[in-house]
């Protein structure tokens, strides 16, 4: 089965709107990524900072203005331990 652009647009319009939490999460992604990149860059330049950061990722994320959700912590830990 194939659909043209108008059919796809009609089908998309028939879907319910995305939950507000999804929209908020999607909107926050670029700034969260920037903050994580900044933390990783600092940790790559400064070994002592890296040790301190790994010792308390929750606090580091809060200080950076990022909610320390488990998936964010795990992502940051993987980047720092790589």
């Amino acid at each position: 089965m194939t659909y043209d652009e108008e059919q796809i647009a009609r089908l998309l319009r028939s879907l319910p709107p995305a939950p507000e939490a999804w929209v908020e999460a999607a909107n926050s992604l670029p700034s969260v990524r920037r903050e994580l990149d900044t933390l990783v860059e600092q940790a790559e330049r400064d070994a002592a900072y890296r040790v301190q950061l790994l010792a308390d990722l929750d606090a580091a994320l809060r200080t950076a203005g990022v909610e320390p959700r488990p998936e964010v912590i795990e992502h940051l830990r993987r980047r720092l331990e790589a």
Side-chain angles (χ1 to χ4, degrees), residues 5-47:
E5 290 177 10
E6 289 181 19
Q7 288 173 311
I8 293 171
R10 206 171 20 261
L11 290 169
L12 288 172
R13 280 193 301 272
S14 70
L15 294 172
E20 187 61 33
W22 290 8
V23 175
E24 289 173 16
N27 287 332
S28 71
L29 279 176
S31 64
V32 169
R33 285 189 180 136
R34 277 192 303 276
E35 292 301 330
L36 293 180
D37 289 344
T38 299
L39 291 172
V40 170
E41 288 168 9
Q42 286 177 288
E44 289 172 344
R45 288 191 306 268
D46 184 343

Short mmCIF file of all heavy atoms in Angstrom, two decimals, residues 5-47:
data_model
loop_
_atom_site.label_atom_id
_atom_site.label_comp_id
_atom_site.label_asym_id
_atom_site.label_seq_id
_atom_site.Cartn_x
_atom_site.Cartn_y
_atom_site.Cartn_z
N GLU A 5 1.34 12.35 -0.34
CA GLU A 5 1.57 13.31 0.75
C GLU A 5 0.27 13.78 1.40
O GLU A 5 0.21 13.96 2.62
CB GLU A 5 2.36 14.51 0.22
CG GLU A 5 3.79 14.16 -0.10
CD GLU A 5 4.56 15.32 -0.68
OE1 GLU A 5 4.05 16.46 -0.67
OE2 GLU A 5 5.67 15.08 -1.15
N GLU A 6 -0.76 13.99 0.62
CA GLU A 6 -2.04 14.45 1.17
C GLU A 6 -2.66 13.40 2.08
O GLU A 6 -3.20 13.72 3.15
CB GLU A 6 -2.99 14.85 0.06
CG GLU A 6 -2.58 16.13 -0.64
CD GLU A 6 -3.55 16.53 -1.73
OE1 GLU A 6 -4.70 16.05 -1.74
OE2 GLU A 6 -3.14 17.34 -2.58
N GLN A 7 -2.57 12.14 1.68
CA GLN A 7 -3.12 11.07 2.51
C GLN A 7 -2.33 10.97 3.82
O GLN A 7 -2.93 10.81 4.89
CB GLN A 7 -3.06 9.73 1.78
CG GLN A 7 -4.05 9.60 0.65
CD GLN A 7 -3.82 8.34 -0.14
OE1 GLN A 7 -2.70 8.04 -0.53
NE2 GLN A 7 -4.90 7.59 -0.37
N ILE A 8 -1.03 11.08 3.74
CA ILE A 8 -0.20 11.02 4.94
C ILE A 8 -0.54 12.19 5.86
O ILE A 8 -0.70 12.01 7.08
CB ILE A 8 1.31 11.02 4.58
CG1 ILE A 8 1.65 9.71 3.87
CG2 ILE A 8 2.17 11.21 5.82
CD1 ILE A 8 3.04 9.66 3.27
N ALA A 9 -0.69 13.38 5.29
CA ALA A 9 -1.03 14.56 6.09
C ALA A 9 -2.39 14.36 6.77
O ALA A 9 -2.55 14.68 7.95
CB ALA A 9 -1.05 15.81 5.22
N ARG A 10 -3.34 13.82 6.06
CA ARG A 10 -4.68 13.58 6.62
C ARG A 10 -4.59 12.57 7.77
O ARG A 10 -5.20 12.75 8.84
CB ARG A 10 -5.60 13.08 5.51
CG ARG A 10 -7.04 13.35 5.72
CD ARG A 10 -7.97 13.04 4.53
NE ARG A 10 -7.48 12.14 3.49
CZ ARG A 10 -6.95 12.54 2.32
NH1 ARG A 10 -6.84 13.82 2.03
NH2 ARG A 10 -6.56 11.65 1.43
N LEU A 11 -3.82 11.52 7.58
CA LEU A 11 -3.67 10.51 8.63
C LEU A 11 -2.97 11.10 9.87
O LEU A 11 -3.37 10.83 11.00
CB LEU A 11 -2.86 9.32 8.11
CG LEU A 11 -3.59 8.44 7.08
CD1 LEU A 11 -2.60 7.46 6.44
CD2 LEU A 11 -4.75 7.71 7.72
N LEU A 12 -1.95 11.91 9.65
CA LEU A 12 -1.24 12.54 10.77
C LEU A 12 -2.16 13.49 11.54
O LEU A 12 -2.11 13.54 12.77
CB LEU A 12 0.00 13.29 10.28
CG LEU A 12 1.16 12.41 9.84
CD1 LEU A 12 2.26 13.26 9.21
CD2 LEU A 12 1.70 11.60 11.00
N ARG A 13 -3.00 14.24 10.83
CA ARG A 13 -3.93 15.16 11.50
C ARG A 13 -4.96 14.41 12.33
O ARG A 13 -5.49 14.94 13.30
CB ARG A 13 -4.63 16.04 10.47
CG ARG A 13 -3.81 17.22 10.00
CD ARG A 13 -4.67 18.23 9.24
NE ARG A 13 -5.32 17.66 8.08
CZ ARG A 13 -4.79 17.59 6.86
NH1 ARG A 13 -3.59 18.07 6.63
NH2 ARG A 13 -5.45 17.06 5.87
N SER A 14 -5.23 13.16 11.97
CA SER A 14 -6.24 12.40 12.72
C SER A 14 -5.68 11.86 14.05
O SER A 14 -6.45 11.42 14.89
CB SER A 14 -6.77 11.24 11.87
OG SER A 14 -5.78 10.24 11.71
N LEU A 15 -4.37 11.90 14.21
CA LEU A 15 -3.78 11.43 15.47
C LEU A 15 -4.03 12.43 16.59
O LEU A 15 -4.10 13.64 16.36
CB LEU A 15 -2.27 11.24 15.30
CG LEU A 15 -1.82 10.13 14.35
CD1 LEU A 15 -0.31 10.20 14.15
CD2 LEU A 15 -2.23 8.78 14.90
N PRO A 16 -4.12 11.93 17.83
CA PRO A 16 -4.26 12.87 18.96
C PRO A 16 -2.94 13.63 19.14
O PRO A 16 -1.88 13.15 18.74
CB PRO A 16 -4.56 11.96 20.15
CG PRO A 16 -4.01 10.63 19.76
CD PRO A 16 -4.12 10.54 18.26
N PRO A 17 -2.99 14.79 19.77
CA PRO A 17 -1.76 15.53 20.00
C PRO A 17 -0.83 14.76 20.93
O PRO A 17 -1.27 13.95 21.75
CB PRO A 17 -2.21 16.84 20.64
CG PRO A 17 -3.64 16.66 20.99
CD PRO A 17 -4.16 15.47 20.27
N ALA A 18 0.47 15.02 20.78
CA ALA A 18 1.45 14.37 21.64
C ALA A 18 1.24 14.84 23.08
O ALA A 18 0.85 15.99 23.31
CB ALA A 18 2.86 14.74 21.19
N PRO A 19 1.49 13.97 24.04
CA PRO A 19 1.38 14.39 25.45
C PRO A 19 2.33 15.56 25.72
O PRO A 19 3.42 15.64 25.18
CB PRO A 19 1.81 13.15 26.23
CG PRO A 19 1.59 12.01 25.30
CD PRO A 19 1.84 12.56 23.92
N GLU A 20 1.89 16.46 26.58
CA GLU A 20 2.66 17.67 26.89
C GLU A 20 4.07 17.32 27.40
O GLU A 20 5.03 17.99 27.07
CB GLU A 20 1.93 18.53 27.91
CG GLU A 20 2.57 19.87 28.16
CD GLU A 20 2.65 20.76 26.92
OE1 GLU A 20 1.75 20.68 26.07
OE2 GLU A 20 3.62 21.52 26.81
N ALA A 21 4.17 16.26 28.20
CA ALA A 21 5.49 15.86 28.73
C ALA A 21 6.44 15.49 27.59
O ALA A 21 7.64 15.77 27.66
CB ALA A 21 5.34 14.70 29.69
N TRP A 22 5.93 14.88 26.52
CA TRP A 22 6.77 14.52 25.38
C TRP A 22 7.26 15.79 24.68
O TRP A 22 8.42 15.88 24.27
CB TRP A 22 6.01 13.68 24.38
CG TRP A 22 5.67 12.29 24.81
CD1 TRP A 22 5.84 11.74 26.06
CD2 TRP A 22 5.09 11.27 24.01
NE1 TRP A 22 5.40 10.45 26.07
CE2 TRP A 22 4.93 10.12 24.83
CE3 TRP A 22 4.69 11.21 22.70
CZ2 TRP A 22 4.39 8.94 24.35
CZ3 TRP A 22 4.14 10.03 22.22
CH2 TRP A 22 4.00 8.91 23.03
N VAL A 23 6.36 16.73 24.53
CA VAL A 23 6.72 17.99 23.86
C VAL A 23 7.78 18.72 24.67
O VAL A 23 8.78 19.20 24.13
CB VAL A 23 5.46 18.86 23.65
CG1 VAL A 23 5.83 20.23 23.09
CG2 VAL A 23 4.46 18.15 22.74
N GLU A 24 7.59 18.80 25.98
CA GLU A 24 8.57 19.47 26.84
C GLU A 24 9.92 18.77 26.78
O GLU A 24 10.97 19.42 26.70
CB GLU A 24 8.06 19.51 28.29
CG GLU A 24 6.90 20.44 28.49
CD GLU A 24 6.31 20.35 29.89
OE1 GLU A 24 6.98 19.79 30.79
OE2 GLU A 24 5.19 20.83 30.08
N ALA A 25 9.91 17.43 26.82
CA ALA A 25 11.16 16.68 26.76
C ALA A 25 11.88 16.92 25.43
O ALA A 25 13.10 17.13 25.40
CB ALA A 25 10.89 15.19 26.95
N ALA A 26 11.14 16.93 24.35
CA ALA A 26 11.74 17.16 23.04
C ALA A 26 12.32 18.57 22.95
O ALA A 26 13.40 18.77 22.38
CB ALA A 26 10.70 16.94 21.94
N ASN A 27 11.62 19.54 23.52
CA ASN A 27 12.11 20.92 23.48
C ASN A 27 13.36 21.11 24.33
O ASN A 27 14.19 21.97 24.03
CB ASN A 27 11.03 21.89 23.94
CG ASN A 27 9.95 22.06 22.90
OD1 ASN A 27 10.19 21.92 21.71
ND2 ASN A 27 8.75 22.37 23.34
N SER A 28 13.52 20.31 25.38
CA SER A 28 14.67 20.47 26.26
C SER A 28 15.91 19.73 25.76
O SER A 28 17.02 19.98 26.25
CB SER A 28 14.33 20.02 27.67
OG SER A 28 14.20 18.62 27.72
N LEU A 29 15.76 18.82 24.81
CA LEU A 29 16.89 18.02 24.35
C LEU A 29 18.10 18.83 23.89
O LEU A 29 19.23 18.52 24.29
CB LEU A 29 16.46 17.06 23.24
CG LEU A 29 15.79 15.78 23.69
CD1 LEU A 29 15.32 14.97 22.49
CD2 LEU A 29 16.69 14.96 24.56
N PRO A 30 17.95 19.84 23.06
CA PRO A 30 19.15 20.58 22.61
C PRO A 30 19.95 21.20 23.76
O PRO A 30 21.18 21.10 23.79
CB PRO A 30 18.59 21.66 21.68
CG PRO A 30 17.30 21.11 21.20
CD PRO A 30 16.75 20.31 22.37
N SER A 31 19.27 21.78 24.74
CA SER A 31 20.01 22.41 25.83
C SER A 31 20.64 21.35 26.74
O SER A 31 21.76 21.54 27.23
CB SER A 31 19.11 23.35 26.64
OG SER A 31 18.08 22.64 27.27
N VAL A 32 19.96 20.23 26.95
CA VAL A 32 20.54 19.16 27.77
C VAL A 32 21.78 18.61 27.08
O VAL A 32 22.81 18.40 27.72
CB VAL A 32 19.50 18.04 28.02
CG1 VAL A 32 20.16 16.80 28.61
CG2 VAL A 32 18.38 18.54 28.91
N ARG A 33 21.71 18.40 25.78
CA ARG A 33 22.88 17.91 25.04
C ARG A 33 24.05 18.88 25.15
O ARG A 33 25.20 18.45 25.33
CB ARG A 33 22.52 17.67 23.58
CG ARG A 33 21.71 16.42 23.39
CD ARG A 33 21.55 16.09 21.92
NE ARG A 33 20.76 14.88 21.79
CZ ARG A 33 19.80 14.71 20.92
NH1 ARG A 33 19.49 15.68 20.08
NH2 ARG A 33 19.13 13.59 20.88
N ARG A 34 23.78 20.16 25.04
CA ARG A 34 24.85 21.17 25.18
C ARG A 34 25.49 21.09 26.55
O ARG A 34 26.72 21.14 26.68
CB ARG A 34 24.31 22.57 24.92
CG ARG A 34 24.24 22.94 23.46
CD ARG A 34 23.99 24.44 23.26
NE ARG A 34 22.77 24.90 23.92
CZ ARG A 34 21.56 24.83 23.40
NH1 ARG A 34 21.37 24.31 22.21
NH2 ARG A 34 20.51 25.29 24.05
N GLU A 35 24.68 20.99 27.59
CA GLU A 35 25.21 20.91 28.95
C GLU A 35 26.04 19.65 29.15
O GLU A 35 27.11 19.70 29.76
CB GLU A 35 24.08 20.98 29.98
CG GLU A 35 23.39 22.32 30.05
CD GLU A 35 24.32 23.47 30.40
OE1 GLU A 35 25.33 23.26 31.10
OE2 GLU A 35 24.04 24.59 29.95
N LEU A 36 25.55 18.52 28.64
CA LEU A 36 26.31 17.27 28.76
C LEU A 36 27.64 17.37 28.00
O LEU A 36 28.68 16.93 28.50
CB LEU A 36 25.50 16.08 28.26
CG LEU A 36 24.25 15.71 29.06
CD1 LEU A 36 23.55 14.52 28.43
CD2 LEU A 36 24.60 15.44 30.51
N ASP A 37 27.60 17.95 26.80
CA ASP A 37 28.83 18.14 26.03
C ASP A 37 29.83 19.00 26.80
O ASP A 37 31.03 18.71 26.81
CB ASP A 37 28.54 18.77 24.67
CG ASP A 37 27.83 17.83 23.71
OD1 ASP A 37 27.84 16.60 23.96
OD2 ASP A 37 27.28 18.32 22.71
N THR A 38 29.34 20.05 27.44
CA THR A 38 30.21 20.94 28.21
C THR A 38 30.85 20.18 29.37
O THR A 38 32.06 20.30 29.61
CB THR A 38 29.42 22.15 28.74
OG1 THR A 38 28.91 22.87 27.62
CG2 THR A 38 30.28 23.05 29.59
N LEU A 39 30.06 19.39 30.09
CA LEU A 39 30.60 18.61 31.20
C LEU A 39 31.66 17.63 30.71
O LEU A 39 32.72 17.49 31.33
CB LEU A 39 29.48 17.85 31.93
CG LEU A 39 28.48 18.70 32.71
CD1 LEU A 39 27.34 17.82 33.22
CD2 LEU A 39 29.16 19.40 33.86
N VAL A 40 31.40 16.95 29.61
CA VAL A 40 32.35 15.98 29.08
C VAL A 40 33.63 16.68 28.62
O VAL A 40 34.74 16.21 28.89
CB VAL A 40 31.72 15.15 27.94
CG1 VAL A 40 32.76 14.31 27.22
CG2 VAL A 40 30.61 14.26 28.49
N GLU A 41 33.49 17.81 27.95
CA GLU A 41 34.67 18.57 27.50
C GLU A 41 35.54 18.99 28.68
O GLU A 41 36.77 18.87 28.64
CB GLU A 41 34.25 19.78 26.68
CG GLU A 41 33.71 19.42 25.31
CD GLU A 41 33.04 20.60 24.62
OE1 GLU A 41 33.15 21.74 25.11
OE2 GLU A 41 32.41 20.36 23.57
N GLN A 42 34.91 19.47 29.74
CA GLN A 42 35.66 19.86 30.94
C GLN A 42 36.36 18.65 31.54
O GLN A 42 37.52 18.74 31.95
CB GLN A 42 34.73 20.49 31.98
CG GLN A 42 34.27 21.88 31.63
CD GLN A 42 33.30 22.40 32.68
OE1 GLN A 42 32.17 21.95 32.76
NE2 GLN A 42 33.77 23.32 33.50
N ALA A 43 35.68 17.53 31.59
CA ALA A 43 36.25 16.32 32.17
C ALA A 43 37.41 15.79 31.33
O ALA A 43 38.36 15.23 31.87
CB ALA A 43 35.18 15.25 32.31
N GLU A 44 37.35 16.00 30.01
CA GLU A 44 38.45 15.56 29.14
C GLU A 44 39.69 16.42 29.34
O GLU A 44 40.81 15.95 29.16
CB GLU A 44 38.00 15.57 27.68
CG GLU A 44 37.01 14.47 27.36
CD GLU A 44 36.41 14.58 25.97
OE1 GLU A 44 36.52 15.67 25.34
OE2 GLU A 44 35.83 13.58 25.51
N ARG A 45 39.50 17.68 29.71
CA ARG A 45 40.63 18.60 29.92
C ARG A 45 41.23 18.49 31.31
O ARG A 45 42.39 18.82 31.51
CB ARG A 45 40.19 20.05 29.68
CG ARG A 45 39.95 20.40 28.23
CD ARG A 45 39.78 21.90 28.04
NE ARG A 45 38.75 22.48 28.89
CZ ARG A 45 37.47 22.64 28.53
NH1 ARG A 45 37.07 22.27 27.35
NH2 ARG A 45 36.61 23.19 29.36
N ASP A 46 40.43 18.06 32.29
CA ASP A 46 40.85 18.11 33.68
C ASP A 46 40.54 16.78 34.36
O ASP A 46 39.39 16.49 34.70
CB ASP A 46 40.12 19.27 34.37
CG ASP A 46 40.53 19.50 35.80
OD1 ASP A 46 41.15 18.61 36.41
OD2 ASP A 46 40.20 20.58 36.32
N ALA A 47 41.58 15.98 34.61
CA ALA A 47 41.41 14.65 35.20
C ALA A 47 40.81 14.72 36.61
O ALA A 47 39.98 13.88 36.97
CB ALA A 47 42.74 13.91 35.22
#
